């Protein structure tokens, strides 16, 4: 009887390990984000640039420019031990981590429920555009902000 229970537990453990291996996230699955993306809307130039995955990391930078005012963010996505983490450093501040919690074809969701705002960062492709959204509570109200950029780098202007 004990040997049957032990065999059953081993089989259950192997099945759980196989399932965990199947759901292991890989940074290579985010290669569709790589490139230079830009848009101009209401006098504001917005750009996001991502390197392709290599060495377990993707590097990104975001910049919004309106007149002489620029907002920027350093971005990094890392894969370590089967976990993929998005690290955001707005205005060069220390990075805030967001774990990859969901991935589908050309769509990814990162989350950090302990962060004030945003708590979720989403990326997806719509045709040739790269889109992103941030979600979470702001002043006790649910908020979603969304952007889409087209391929290419915008030049000139300040």
């Amino acid at each position: 009887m004990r040997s049957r229970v032990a065999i059953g537990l081993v089989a259950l453990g192997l099945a759980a390990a196989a399932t965990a291996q199947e759901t292991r996230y890989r940074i290579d699955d985010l290669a569709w984000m790589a490139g230079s993306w830009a848009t101009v809307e209401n006098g504001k130039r917005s750009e996001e640039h991502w390197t392709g995955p290599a060495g377990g990391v993707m590097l990104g930078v975001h910049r919004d420019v309106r007149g002489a005012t620029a907002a920027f963010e350093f971005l990094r996505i890392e894969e370590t031990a089967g976990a993929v983490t998005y690290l955001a450093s707005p205005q060069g501040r220390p990075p805030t981590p967001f774990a990859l919690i969901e991935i589908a074809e050309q769509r990814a969701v990162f989350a950090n429920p302990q962060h004030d705002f945003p708590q979720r960062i989403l990326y997806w492709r719509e045709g040739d555009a790269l889109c992103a959204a941030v979600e979470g509570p702001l002043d006790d109200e649910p908020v979603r902000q969304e952007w889409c950029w087209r391929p290419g780098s915008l030049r000139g202007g300040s």
Side-chain angles (χ1 to χ4, degrees), residues 43-55:
K44 178 178 77 174
R45 186 174 78 232
S46 177
E47 304 173 347
E48 191 146 313
H49 307 274
W50 283 100
T51 64

Side-chain angles (χ1 to χ4, degrees), residues 134-149:
V134 293
E135 300 176 335
L138 196 56
D139 297 326
D140 296 323
E141 294 292 324
V143 172
R144 179 181 171 102
Q145 299 170 341
E146 195 172 298
W147 306 267
C148 285
W149 306 279

Side-chain angles (χ1 to χ4, degrees), residues 39-46 62 64-67 147 154:
T39 191
V40 175
E41 191 172 297
N42 298 324
K44 178 178 77 174
R45 186 174 78 232
S46 177
H62 177 95
D64 292 326
V65 178
R66 183 186 306 272
W147 306 267
L154 299 173

Side-chain angles (χ1 to χ4, degrees), residues 55 57 60 65 71 79 81 99 108 116 118 120-121 125 128 131 139 147 154:
V57 70
V65 178
E79 178 184 343
D116 53 4
R120 288 171 36 107
I121 300 172
R125 291 287 300 271
D128 70 343
C131 299
D139 297 326
W147 306 267
L154 299 173

Side-chain angles (χ1 to χ4, degrees), residues 74-98:
F74 298 122
L75 307 164
R76 184 171 80 235
I77 300 175
E78 295 180 337
E79 178 184 343
T80 52
V84 176
T85 305
Y86 180 104
L87 297 133
S89 300
Q91 299 300 115
R93 291 193 294 269
T96 300
F98 295 83

